[in-house]
């Protein structure tokens, strides 16, 4: 049986800080809760988890947060797509040979803290959207705990076994959530973390080009 390979977005497939995301998030928070509190940031976490932490820090209670999270996901996604339409993203970077490398992975999907509409809009801008079919993967407005995204992604892959599932990410949270979900992780040292900080991954690679070999080693 082949591997189900689940790709993170920020720091893994998109190597550039996305100011459109920041602006859309701020606008959505103001529209839904009347203020736009910040952080604390946990790289790799889901959009829902990050939003809850920021709102709690600003004094909002969980009942008030829960009542509006679905609306926030919708407003944020719509605002992001609106802003992206006119944004200059010519400076956005992907790993070298990203498309060619991805085509060498037979069974692939996105697993990201981004809302689905945001993740797919980013993939379209990067020219990678055709490589990630719809109705696959799992996204940050579907589950708050990143660990739970793995079960959802495996379910959408036809009940794929956890032991044959591999996450590809760039943060310690990508690693720990994969392991807690019973999956393995290939860590890509192209984001904010170096090899030492990613050492608990099953394999650490320096470029995405190394991924096919890393997956072959995992069997």
């Amino acid at each position: 049986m082949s591997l189900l390979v689940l790709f993170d977005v920020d720091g893994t497939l998109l190597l550039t800080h996305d100011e459109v995301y920041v602006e859309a998030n701020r606008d959505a928070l103001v529209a839904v809760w009347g203020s736009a509190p910040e952080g604390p940031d946990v790289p790799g976490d889901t959009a829902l988890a990050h939003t809850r932490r920021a709102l709690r820090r600003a004094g909002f209670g969980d009942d008030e947060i829960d009542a509006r999270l679905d609306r926030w996901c919708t407003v944020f996604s719509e605002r992001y797509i609106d802003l992206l339409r006119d944004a200059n993203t010519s400076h956005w970077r992907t790993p070298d040979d990203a498309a060619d490398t991805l085509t060498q992975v037979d069974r692939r999907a996105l697993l990201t803290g981004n809302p689905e509409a945001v993740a797919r809009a980013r993939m379209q801008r990067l020219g990678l959207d055709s490589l990630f079919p719809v109705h696959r993967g799992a996204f940050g407005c579907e589950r708050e705990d990143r660990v739970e995204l793995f079960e959802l992604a495996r379910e959408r892959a036809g009940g794929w076994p956890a032991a044959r599932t591999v996450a590809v990410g760039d943060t310690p949270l990508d690693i720990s959530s994969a392991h807690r979900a019973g999956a393995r992780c290939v860590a890509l040292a192209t984001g904010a973390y170096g090899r030492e900080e990613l050492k608990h991954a099953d394999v650490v690679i320096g470029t995405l080009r190394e991924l096919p070999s890393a997956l072959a080693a995992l069997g």
Side-chain angles (χ1 to χ4, degrees):
M1 180 182 287
S2 61
L3 298 171
L4 172 63
V5 185
L6 303 173
F7 289 86
D8 178 51
V9 174
D10 293 275
T12 301
L13 297 177
L14 173 60
L15 304 183
T16 308
H17 179 64
D18 183 1
E19 288 295 340
V20 179
Y21 189 103
V22 175
E23 183 177 352
N25 181 38
R26 183 173 58 245
D27 291 351
L29 286 168
V30 171
V32 176
W33 283 285
S35 65
E38 297 183 2
D41 187 30
V42 177
D45 215 345
T46 66
L48 291 178
H50 177 79
T51 298
R52 184 182 299 278
R53 277 195 304 273
L55 290 167
R56 279 176 171 172
R57 189 178 190 183
F60 289 87
D62 281 331
D63 288 346
E64 187 174 6
I65 295 170
D66 289 336
R68 303 181 189 181
L69 273 176
D70 286 347
R71 182 182 167 218
W72 171 81
C73 281
T74 299
V75 173
F76 173 36
S77 297
E78 291 175 350
R79 182 60 174 155
Y80 182 85
I81 291 171
D82 285 343
L83 290 172
L84 188 64
R85 188 174 295 116
D86 297 322
N88 179 4
T89 58
S90 60
H91 63 292
W92 279 13
R93 292 178 50 243
T94 61
D96 293 339
D97 300 323
D100 180 63
T101 301
L102 290 169
T103 59
Q104 297 178 56
V105 180
D106 292 334
R107 189 174 294 270
R108 58 186 176 271
L110 296 173
L111 189 149
T112 171
N114 300 171
E116 182 171 7
V118 173
R120 295 201 181 278
R122 287 169 149 188
M123 291 300 99
Q124 185 174 28
R125 277 295 176 103
L126 295 171
L128 303 175
D129 53 312
S130 65
L131 299 173
F132 294 102
V134 296
H135 310 305
R136 299 281 181 87
F139 302 89
C141 272
E142 296 183 303
R143 300 289 188 273
E144 189 165 338
D145 187 339
R146 192 179 181 101
V147 175
E148 296 177 4
L149 291 179
F150 284 84
E151 181 178 0
L152 182 58
R154 292 191 297 104
E155 177 184 320
R156 287 173 173 163
W160 204 261
R164 301 297 298 169
T165 301
V166 179
V168 180
D170 66 293
T171 73
L173 184 60
D174 294 327
I175 300 167
S176 62
S177 60
H179 288 166
R180 286 172 58 202
R184 289 173 287 178
C185 184
V186 174
L188 188 60
T190 55
Y193 297 94
R195 288 179 176 272
E196 179 61 24
E197 295 163 298
L198 302 172
K199 65 183 179 181
H200 296 299
D202 298 273
V203 182
V204 180
I205 57 178
T207 68
L208 191 64
R209 289 178 179 140
E210 300 171 54
L211 180 62
S213 296
L215 294 175
L218 290 176

